[in-house]
Amino acid sequence: MCRNILSFVSSSVEARSRIKVAAAVIVQGNKYLVTQRGYGAYKGFWEFPGGKIEAGESAEDAVVREIREELCVAIEVEKRLGTVEYEYPEFHLSMECFVCRIVSDEITLREHDGAQWLHADELNSVSFLNADVEVVKLIQGAGR
């Protein structure tokens, strides 16, 4: 009986989809850009903007492309902040996070309902997606 249960649990975990994304921790002065999701099951929650890494694309290239598509700005990746692994009920998320800065254009929200610039000590004032809560911990741990 135990063997069958372990086999079922193992196959369920393997069947769960794994999504690889890149997120931009955009810094301007001593503030961070956070955006409010405008669609889907997690609409209304706050996040660090970014998106899926496409086949054959590096995480750095993905974050630059996604920010251009979502916010209509050009960014420069300054450094890698870290990776967040988070288990949502529907999927496993692997999120590569990069500290970035805007190098041209003004922000235009194409997929988000809102955006805010927050100091590190204000990041806990919004309702982040669970994986993004882990990004906040990375930021606060890095002392950036």
Side-chain angles (χ1 to χ4, degrees):
M1 179 73 168
C2 289
R3 187 173 186 182
N4 290 337
I5 291 172
L6 289 176
S7 176
F8 171 75
V9 170
S10 177
S11 65
S12 294
V13 170
E14 291 172 14
R16 176 173 290 186
S17 64
R18 180 179 176 89
I19 299 174
K20 294 185 74 165
V21 300
V25 177
I26 300 173
V27 180
Q28 184 172 300
N30 60 353
K31 292 186 176 183
Y32 299 87
L33 180 68
V34 297
T35 54
Q36 188 176 36
R37 287 181 68 93
Y39 60 91
Y42 298 103
K43 177 180 171 62
F45 284 94
W46 292 83
E47 66 183 356
F48 293 93
K52 289 184 182 175
I53 301 169
E54 295 180 357
E57 185 176 45
S58 72
E60 293 90 343
D61 289 343
V63 77
V64 169
R65 175 187 52 75
E66 285 285 344
I67 297 309
R68 171 58 78 191
E69 291 172 3
E70 292 181 6
L71 303 177
C72 301
V73 294
I75 60 168
E76 179 178 275
V77 174
E78 291 185 351
K79 67 179 181 179
R80 183 180 179 280
L81 181 62
T83 302
V84 169
E85 300 287 339
Y86 194 84
E87 202 69 41
Y88 283 98
E90 309 85 1
F91 57 90
H92 176 87
L93 182 74
S94 180
M95 181 165 49
E96 296 286 332
C97 304
F98 299 93
V99 175
C100 305
R101 66 181 181 87
I102 295 175
V103 293
S104 70
D105 305 315
E106 289 187 30
I107 294 171
T108 300
L109 302 178
R110 297 182 70 194
E111 297 183 11
H112 297 90
D113 285 343
Q116 295 184 56
W117 289 99
L118 300 174
H119 291 277
D121 62 353
E122 298 174 310
L123 290 172
N124 295 323
S125 69
V126 298
S127 295
F128 277 107
L129 290 164
N130 291 337
D132 290 87
V133 169
E134 300 303 315
V135 180
V136 170
K137 291 176 186 176
L138 287 175
I139 292 168
Q140 292 170 340
R144 167 96 180 144

